[in-house]
Amino acid sequence: VKAEQIDAVEIERGAEKLKMVRSTGDKNAWEIVEPYRAPAEASAVEGVVSALLRARPVAHPEAGGSPAARGLDPPSLKVTLRQGTDKASTVNLGDVSIGGSKGVVFVTTSARPKRTMAVSRGDLDALFKAQK
């Protein structure tokens, strides 16, 4: 799947849900449709989509264990990318190791919900708010 084929992004953190869809009139624009309607910053949404599509598992001694032991049951953040109404993929994010962008984020996916993987935190920077 290519980034331009993604037409909806859903981000869930606990009971909070943010849903963004690609604008019908302008394929380079995004809008928030849940929990309210508003324009979305297209570069931020595209950054999240691109980051998730590029992310790859990395070797880590704590990967592969129980999802619950890595903060994935329940996950602290769920991001679902949708392509049309019938194709979707979710990445669940759990614990983040120390080390800033050199640390790892433990994840599972909708394709492999029981397999805990480590992904470089730097690969997912678009999902993390910069600390000031």
Side-chain angles (χ1 to χ4, degrees), residues 16-32:
E16 299 174 16
K17 182 177 179 179
L18 179 66
K19 182 175 181 179
M20 297 157 288
V21 297
R22 200 176 286 276
S23 296
T24 54
D26 180 357
K27 290 297 181 184
N28 294 320
W30 286 83
E31 61 182 312
I32 299 169

Side-chain angles (χ1 to χ4, degrees), residues 4-119:
E4 60 270 8
Q5 295 173 311
I6 300 299
D7 54 19
V9 178
E10 297 170 6
I11 300 174
E12 297 176 57
R13 184 173 184 177
E16 299 174 16
K17 182 177 179 179
L18 179 66
K19 182 175 181 179
M20 297 157 288
V21 297
R22 200 176 286 276
S23 296
T24 54
D26 180 357
K27 290 297 181 184
N28 294 320
W30 286 83
E31 61 182 312
I32 299 169
V33 295
E34 282 183 40
Y36 51 81
R37 294 191 80 83
E41 186 177 329
S43 62
V45 179
E46 292 290 342
V48 168
V49 170
S50 295
L52 288 170
L53 292 176
R54 280 192 320 265
R56 298 289 178 257
V58 296
H60 192 277
E62 297 177 26
S66 161
R70 297 291 157 242
L72 289 157
D73 190 19
S76 56
L77 187 71
K78 291 173 67 170
V79 183
T80 302
L81 302 180
R82 296 191 181 278
Q83 180 185 4
T85 57
D86 59 341
K87 291 185 181 180
S89 185
T90 300
V91 176
N92 304 302
L93 284 76
D95 293 344
V96 180
S97 72
I98 59 172
S101 63
K102 295 185 185 201
V104 297
V105 180
F106 293 98
V107 304
T108 58
T109 64
S110 54
R112 295 189 173 140
K114 302 283 186 207
R115 181 178 174 213
T116 303
M117 297 173 278
V119 173

